Amino acid sequence: GKHVEILDSKTKEQLCFLDKVEPHSSVGDIKSLFHKSYPKWYPARQALRLDPKGKALRNDDLLQNLPVGTSATLYFRDLGPQLGWTMVFLAEYIGPLLIYLLFYFRVPYIYNHKYTFTSSSHHVVNLACACHSFHYIKRLFETIFVHRFSNGTMPLRAIVRNCAYYWGFAAWLAYYINHPLYTPPSYGEPQVNYALMIFLCEAGNFSIHWSLNSLKCEGAKCCRFPNPSKNPFTWLFFFVSCPNYTYEVGAWVGLSIMTQCVPVALFTFVGFIQMTIWAKGKHKTYTREFKDYPNLRMPILPFIL
């Protein structure tokens, strides 16, 4: 077997020496052995590198394939507390759902006390609440039943940041839409109805998540790229790599038009920028991994971006 020495990447002090490790052991196996010596550092918290400043090794990398001789030196870094993806998404999505409803029902101490538990006379306010609630209930449903998450955990710091983003925006949107002085959109009923049709992009978003889930993948690696199916909503795959983001932005554009509310439009815009960054990354991975990847496809907006 091989000898594996694990050093702290900052101080370079030896944390652990593993004797006679099987050459076909994976980095994941080494993390488990290291965890036995240091119970507080469970495998998801560990990053192991060949070089203190280098790239973290993947759990499925095998010891025998690494550029090391009979003894290997690995550098350890603590990634901090981690939570599973399912927990993360439940926290991210249950928050906005409930926060919005507090404003919708005008619970005490939000608006002037004479408005406590009153409801708006504008039909659009009820519709906006239904759409916002539907969006997050759908996300919760997908998190529990549809999604498969590639890397198992997320650092606590990132979760706090994400929750602040989603919960904060939900409170801001809800404050204005459910405000007693809110005025409905300029073009009235027609504007609301057109916006509701655009909001139906949610069905497209769900269709894409469903079809991505049925791609048989081994871990994070997929053997083929997603393609259109009989479902017309998936035909957007002819033109973009990440139609789920295209539809997601579409749904929020619908809600922005429906409510004619600046915070909603701002949330949509910030979301669009973030999703464009993710889509470009995914698009780059597809074009790198698959030589036959269709040239027509753009990351998020057909023919444009």
Side-chain angles (χ1 to χ4, degrees):
K2 291 177 185 261
H3 306 302
V4 178
E5 181 187 32
I6 298 178
L7 308 183
D8 185 299
S9 61
K10 288 196 185 75
T11 62
K12 310 287 182 287
E13 66 171 307
Q14 188 185 54
L15 295 171
C16 181
F17 184 82
L18 304 169
D19 203 19
K20 299 194 176 58
V21 180
E22 292 295 331
H24 52 256
S25 299
S26 67
V27 170
D29 299 332
I30 293 169
K31 286 182 179 178
S32 301
L33 292 169
F34 181 55
H35 180 218
K36 288 199 177 84
S37 312
Y38 293 92
K40 63 173 176 181
W41 288 324
Y42 43 90
R45 276 188 82 148
Q46 303 171 29
L48 295 177
R49 300 175 161 81
L50 288 168
D51 172 70
K53 297 270 185 289
K55 212 175 149 210
L57 298 168
R58 289 164 47 128
N59 284 340
D60 51 9
D61 287 338
L62 298 180
L63 192 53
Q64 61 196 19
N65 299 344
L66 298 176
V68 292
T70 48
S71 68
T73 303
L74 298 177
Y75 295 92
F76 161 80
R77 186 171 148 246
D78 178 16
L79 297 173
Q82 306 284 313
L83 273 180
W85 278 111
T86 304
M87 284 304 299
V88 171
F89 285 117
L90 293 182
E92 281 181 11
Y93 302 151
I94 288 174
L97 178 64
L98 299 180
I99 287 168
Y100 193 100
L101 292 173
L102 293 177
F103 288 87
Y104 176 73
F105 290 115
R106 296 180 178 168
V107 298
Y109 308 114
I110 293 180
Y111 304 114
N112 187 312
H113 66 87
K114 69 176 180 207
Y115 295 112
T116 298
F117 294 124
T118 57
S119 54
S120 171
S121 57
H122 304 302
H123 154 70
V124 66
V125 172
N126 304 327
L127 186 62
C129 179
C131 291
H132 188 276
S133 302
F134 174 81
H135 175 78
Y136 284 105
I137 290 168
K138 166 185 160 294
R139 280 202 176 178
L140 287 165
F141 173 83
E142 290 174 335
T143 299
I144 299 165
F145 298 107
V146 180
H147 289 313
R148 284 199 311 250
F149 298 114
S150 42
N151 25 2
T153 65
M154 188 176 193
L156 198 55
R157 283 187 309 276
I159 298 164
V160 171
R161 187 193 61 218
N162 286 11
C163 285
Y165 169 74
Y166 281 111
W167 297 21
F169 255 118
W172 195 34
L173 311 182
Y175 176 79
Y176 284 103
I177 297 171
N178 299 294
H179 199 286
L181 300 177
Y182 170 81
T183 51
S186 319
Y187 296 97
E189 219 40 34
Q191 181 170 340
V192 173
N193 294 337
Y194 278 122
L196 184 59
M197 278 154 62
I198 301 171
F199 182 77
L200 293 178
C201 280
E202 290 282 7
N205 178 269
F206 179 78
S207 302
I208 302 299
H209 285 153
W210 190 262
S211 70
L212 287 174
N213 185 55
S214 48
L215 270 187
K216 297 285 170 278
C217 298
E218 286 305 317
K221 299 282 286 176
C222 276
C223 354
R224 54 199 179 91
F225 54 85
N227 273 308
S229 68
K230 291 193 187 76
N231 175 349
F233 283 117
T234 65
W235 298 349
L236 202 47
F237 270 127
F238 283 120
F239 308 104
V240 293
S241 294
C242 299
N244 46 325
Y245 296 147
T246 316
Y247 284 126
E248 174 89 3
V249 172
W252 283 102
V253 165
L255 202 61
S256 303
I257 295 170
M258 182 189 296
T259 57
Q260 202 172 306
C261 182
V262 171
V264 186
L266 206 68
F267 182 65
T268 305
F269 182 67
V270 175
F272 172 62
I273 292 171
Q274 179 58 74
M275 286 183 253
T276 301
I277 295 167
W278 289 335
K280 284 185 161 177
K282 191 82 177 152
H283 181 76
K284 206 171 158 186
T285 304
Y286 284 149
T287 48
R288 193 179 56 233
E289 280 186 20
F290 304 106
K291 297 287 163 274
D292 56 339
Y293 196 68
N295 287 330
L296 185 61
R297 291 193 197 184
M298 297 297 274
I300 189 167
L301 294 180
F303 313 116
I304 301 167
L305 185 68

